[in-house]
Amino acid sequence: MLVSFVGFSQANKAIIQSYLETNRAQYGLSNQDLSDLSIQNEFYGKGTKITSCYVVQRHQGIEIFNGQSTIAIKDGSVLKVGSNFQANIAQKVNTATPSLSVMDALNKAYTSLGYATANFSITESTDGKKFTISDEKMKIQF
């Protein structure tokens, strides 16, 4: 079952990528703006036979804030794009390397909100960009 889902996802990604590259001017996007898209979720409607894909825009593997789109696919073609992809992201990004560690950023956020810093620890990190953090009372994923 997983193999067919992965194949389905890859086919939809190719359909989406091709459509957006062909129609990028319509959305005010460059090839570079579309070079690192990721399908985060897919939902197939049995009645409509439409697959809705939630697509996230990334730059050097880092998700772009508000850079997502819902794209509907039916019979191997893009039906509708609800785009919020960001244009010219390479020119807008000032660095791909964080100036603070995850823990320093979290503690700085806590302090700026008037909270005492907690004893956080990273409990999981799959790619060095997404983390699960715990303070023994709660878990946070980002």
Side-chain angles (χ1 to χ4, degrees), residues 11-106:
N12 286 336
K13 183 173 181 186
I15 291 166
I16 291 167
Q17 194 77 41
S18 175
Y19 175 85
L20 290 173
E21 286 172 1
T22 301
N23 297 283
R24 66 184 169 82
Q26 176 183 341
Y27 300 101
L29 300 169
S30 69
N31 282 334
Q32 194 171 19
D33 294 330
L34 301 170
S35 67
D36 193 6
L37 301 178
S38 173
I39 295 178
Q40 294 223 321
N41 287 310
E42 294 182 317
F43 302 98
Y44 179 72
K46 289 181 185 177
T48 62
K49 297 185 177 163
I50 294 173
T51 301
S52 297
C53 300
Y54 182 76
V55 183
V56 175
Q57 183 182 28
R58 300 181 305 186
H59 178 71
Q60 296 183 4
I62 300 169
E63 292 181 10
I64 302 298
F65 180 73
N66 281 341
Q68 61 271 343
S69 178
T70 302
I71 300 174
I73 298 174
K74 184 173 184 175
D75 299 326
S77 298
V78 171
L79 245 143
K80 183 173 178 154
V81 176
S83 179
N84 197 33
F85 290 141
Q86 304 300 305
N88 303 312
I89 56 175
Q91 289 77 30
K92 294 175 183 175
V93 173
N94 62 358
T95 185
T97 306
S99 59
L100 295 174
S101 72
V102 172
M103 301 310 291
D104 289 343
L106 187 57

Side-chain angles (χ1 to χ4, degrees), residues 36 59-63 96 102 125-131 142:
D36 193 6
H59 178 71
Q60 296 183 4
I62 300 169
E63 292 181 10
V102 172
S125 176
T126 54
D127 61 3
K129 294 179 181 137
K130 291 185 179 185
F131 300 89
F142 60 98

